[in-house]
Amino acid sequence: MNAPTRHFLIGLAIRLLLIFLLPILLDDGLLLRGVRYTDIDYDVFTDAAEHVVHGRSPYERHTYRYTPFLAGFLALPLRYHENSLSIRVWSRKYFGKIFFSIADAVCGYIIVMLRRRKRSIRDKQQNLTDARGKNNWQTLSPDFVDALWWLYNPLPINICTRGSAESLVVLLPVLGTVAIAEMRPLESHERKWSSDIIVRACLAGILHGIGIHAKLYPLIYTVSFMAYFSHQQQSISTTRVNSYCFQTGWTHVLSEQMEFLGNCFCCGPSKSTVSNTFPWRHPLRIFIVSILWVQRLFLTTSSILFLIFTLGTAGTLTYAAVYLYGSEALNEGLLYHFQRVDHRHNYSMYFYWIYLSRGRAGATLSSSSLTWRHIPTIPQIFILGFASLGIAPYDLTLALFLQTFAFVAFNKVVTAQYFTWYLCLLPLCSDRIAWKSKHMMFSLAFLFAAIILWLLSAFTLEMLGWRSHRQVWIASLFFFVANLNLLNAILNGYKVKLMSFPGQGWSKLKMS
């Protein structure tokens, strides 16, 4: 048994043990009375599954706002054991948690395998066939460190064993899409790779469509995946670069783009014709480069096929849901997430505004209030566009992580489940982040302090019943600032340099 499989089984065993142990101690009141381990969302899932078993819509269960196929899946053991009360009770209590935990462990296994593969590629490029054996100072094996990121991480373990479906309906499709997108041979076989890109784009589009239908938020990754597939295909098909290519804005290398931007009238002259890093602090240059990259998205076979399969899969599943359960499946399962506002267990800096708005029973929001509700989307759109067109073609996982991190930080609703959205991507780009810099050390300490402050404030509100809404709001503001500071530290610590290779349409980026 190899190391990844062993860690996968141990991580799964830990989750299964907690599924059976902690509800007995907490839900049944043997250890702490009044403290419930099972998430309220799990009761929503199982109640909706009961409705499906009896031929009703899962949306008859109040607050069920998920894909109806999740309730149909959880209804399977209930449907086939209607006459056995004990099996029904057992299935209702454990069936969903078991499958959520299996999906979560599979997510951890994918992370371990992707990190292991990247390490092998890096060692091969550096001609370090036995690099791990030379690091005598390293007391922990690389495979164990890989497993620590997710398989042994307390946060995802807690979330999935409490009955949250994030790993099954969201994280698994997202990580599966990343795994397929980055699945390529260790050695460059041009013909095989070019045909594989088309197949991988189609498979990735299917998984991506499933993720969008299930939770909607993976929609923000679409342009990133398209840019990545376009770059991969062009890196193979391009054999030469000439002036005509430059005029079409398609296959010229990034160094020529930088030379053009350095001399263009709107950006001003540059000290050097070729920039060593991406122009983080030059918005006009970023805008022009983005236009050049947009042209690539819709002129490459792989990116177009990815988009077609994504839209086709998401559209087919959504149409099937509406066909089975009516427009309520569209409104509650999909459109609701565009306008969701919830002040409970909300880390967002908009927590207090949402709380006050909900407190005005029967009051309607003014036009100015409705306008302010959309202001948080402005920085989200900027960061999403920047990461999709400026980073994703060269570093897909970092782009996805930055997009998700910024999306969650600026969102009006932020719960603990949302943290897993970007934590599952962090292990895939952690080797490009300067963890030991002073800025990063301060940012992590600041974030840890902000989390502790928020948890203490929320404890006084939720458990002690104090009227500490303003204290929670202030803690949420500190948490938001801590997230922005960490995002700044990640970007500042991410150092890259351009590496041009003959016969490749776009320049590649390599860690300096």
Side-chain angles (χ1 to χ4, degrees):
M1 182 184 300
N2 57 22
T5 303
R6 183 173 64 255
H7 290 301
F8 166 76
L9 295 177
I10 294 175
L12 179 59
I14 293 173
R15 287 161 172 78
L16 295 179
L17 176 63
L18 295 179
I19 285 175
F20 293 98
L21 179 61
L22 291 182
I24 295 176
L25 296 177
L26 298 178
D27 295 357
D28 298 340
L30 296 180
L31 184 61
L32 294 174
R33 294 188 178 274
V35 178
R36 194 167 185 266
Y37 184 74
T38 300
D39 196 333
I40 187 63
D41 286 343
Y42 187 72
D43 294 335
V44 175
F45 298 152
T46 54
D47 291 345
E50 289 281 359
H51 285 293
V52 173
V53 170
H54 294 90
R56 298 190 296 267
S57 170
Y59 299 102
E60 293 187 20
R61 196 335 178 155
H62 181 59
T63 70
Y64 183 81
R65 298 186 176 97
Y66 310 90
T67 173
F69 302 115
L70 174 61
F73 173 76
L74 297 179
L76 292 177
L78 303 178
R79 190 187 303 273
Y80 292 106
H81 299 90
E82 294 187 33
N83 299 326
S84 177
L85 180 60
S86 60
I87 295 180
R88 286 177 60 86
V89 172
W90 186 91
S91 300
R92 180 183 175 91
K93 193 172 183 179
Y94 296 113
F95 177 75
K97 291 182 180 180
I98 291 174
F99 266 89
F100 299 159
S101 297
I102 293 175
D104 191 74
V106 172
C107 290
Y109 182 79
I110 294 175
I111 291 172
V112 170
M113 295 305 295
L114 287 176
R115 284 178 58 88
R116 201 182 199 198
R117 181 174 180 81
K118 287 186 176 182
R119 190 164 56 246
S120 300
I121 295 175
R122 183 177 66 248
D123 293 348
K124 188 177 183 63
Q125 290 176 345
Q126 297 175 352
N127 295 321
L128 300 178
T129 58
D130 193 18
R132 293 186 296 274
K134 297 180 181 180
N135 294 333
N136 297 324
W137 57 268
Q138 187 173 354
T139 58
L140 300 178
S141 67
D143 292 315
F144 180 73
V145 174
D146 296 342
L148 286 176
W149 282 99
W150 193 265
L151 287 173
Y152 302 144
N153 190 331
L155 180 61
I157 291 176
N158 173 265
I159 290 176
C160 71
T161 54
R162 292 185 63 205
S164 175
E166 297 297 314
S167 296
L168 180 64
V169 300
V170 179
L171 305 185
L172 193 56
V174 169
L175 288 173
T177 306
V178 173
I180 293 175
E182 294 195 335
M183 186 187 303
R184 53 187 179 182
L186 294 178
E187 297 180 359
S188 179
H189 300 286
E190 183 172 327
R191 293 183 179 179
K192 182 180 179 180
W193 196 1
S194 60
S195 60
D196 285 348
I197 288 177
I198 304 299
V199 177
R200 289 191 288 113
C202 298
L203 295 177
I206 294 174
L207 276 180
H208 188 54
I210 294 174
I212 292 175
H213 167 77
K215 201 67 175 183
L216 186 64
Y217 93 87
L219 181 67
I220 65 177
Y221 303 146
T222 302
V223 177
S224 294
F225 281 116
M226 292 177 64
Y228 179 79
F229 279 117
S230 176
H231 173 256
Q232 293 298 313
Q233 184 173 348
Q234 286 298 306
S235 295
I236 299 173
S237 60
T238 302
T239 57
R240 61 188 179 91
V241 178
N242 50 39
S243 59
Y244 172 78
C245 294
F246 177 75
Q247 294 174 0
T248 61
W250 176 244
T251 56
H252 54 285
V253 295
L254 187 59
S255 59
E256 292 184 351
Q257 293 182 22
M258 295 296 101
E259 183 177 3
F260 167 71
L261 295 176
N263 297 322
C264 72
F265 68 92
C266 61
C267 298
S270 176
K271 295 181 179 180
S272 60
T273 57
V274 180
S275 175
N276 290 328
T277 60
F278 190 85
W280 307 101
R281 301 179 181 179
H282 300 278
L284 290 178
R285 298 185 182 187
I286 295 174
F287 175 73
I288 296 178
V289 173
S290 299
I291 294 178
L292 298 175
W293 279 332
V294 166
Q295 297 177 23
R296 298 185 173 105
L297 298 179
F298 303 100
L299 296 175
T300 307
T301 305
S302 58
S303 61
I304 291 297
L305 286 177
F306 174 82
L307 180 62
I308 292 175
F309 275 82
T310 295
L311 297 177
T313 303
T316 300
L317 292 175
T318 304
Y319 175 80
V322 173
Y323 178 80
L324 294 173
Y325 300 106
S327 60
E328 198 172 19
L330 179 63
N331 296 328
E332 297 291 335
L334 198 65
L335 300 181
Y336 165 80
H337 298 283
F338 279 109
Q339 53 186 1
R340 179 189 177 189
V341 286
D342 190 356
H343 66 278
R344 294 168 297 182
H345 317 295
N346 190 356
Y347 289 77
S348 173
M349 63 175 175
Y350 305 101
F351 150 80
Y352 197 52
W353 175 79
I354 295 174
Y355 169 74
L356 294 177
S357 300
R358 286 295 184 93
R360 300 171 183 174
T364 57
L365 296 176
S366 62
S367 58
S368 60
S369 298
L370 292 175
T371 302
W372 279 96
R373 289 180 61 179
H374 298 289
I375 287 182
T377 61
I378 296 177
Q380 285 180 326
I381 293 175
F382 176 79
I383 295 176
L384 294 180
F386 167 71
S388 298
L389 301 176
I391 302 177
Y394 311 102
D395 197 335
L396 177 63
T397 53
L398 178 72
L400 299 184
F401 169 76
L402 294 177
Q403 287 177 303
T404 314
F405 190 88
F407 178 80
V408 172
F410 284 93
N411 210 29
K412 295 187 289 293
V413 178
V414 181
T415 63
Q417 287 88 340
Y418 288 24
F419 301 152
T420 62
W421 294 359
Y422 58 77
L423 286 179
C424 71
L425 297 168
L426 179 59
L428 306 181
C429 60
S430 61
D431 58 329
R432 277 95 74 196
I433 298 176
W435 295 106
K436 296 182 180 181
S437 66
K438 293 182 179 180
H439 190 183
M440 179 61 67
M441 294 291 187
F442 171 78
S443 301
L444 292 176
F446 186 17
L447 179 63
F448 180 77
I451 293 175
I452 295 298
L453 177 62
W454 190 94
L455 291 176
L456 291 176
S457 303
F459 178 80
T460 62
L461 176 65
E462 297 285 346
M463 305 302 295
L464 301 181
W466 296 0
R467 295 182 178 179
S468 54
H469 295 84
R470 291 185 179 179
Q471 288 81 353
V472 175
W473 174 56
I474 293 174
S476 299
L477 292 177
F478 272 102
F479 182 70
F480 174 74
V481 174
N483 277 277
L484 290 187
N485 188 58
L486 180 60
L487 182 63
N488 184 35
I490 292 174
L491 290 176
N492 287 337
Y494 182 74
K495 301 298 183 181
V496 297
K497 61 183 179 180
L498 292 174
M499 298 278 297
S500 298
F501 294 90
Q504 295 186 340
W506 297 9
S507 297
K508 288 190 174 182
L509 296 178
K510 182 180 179 181
M511 289 296 302
S512 59

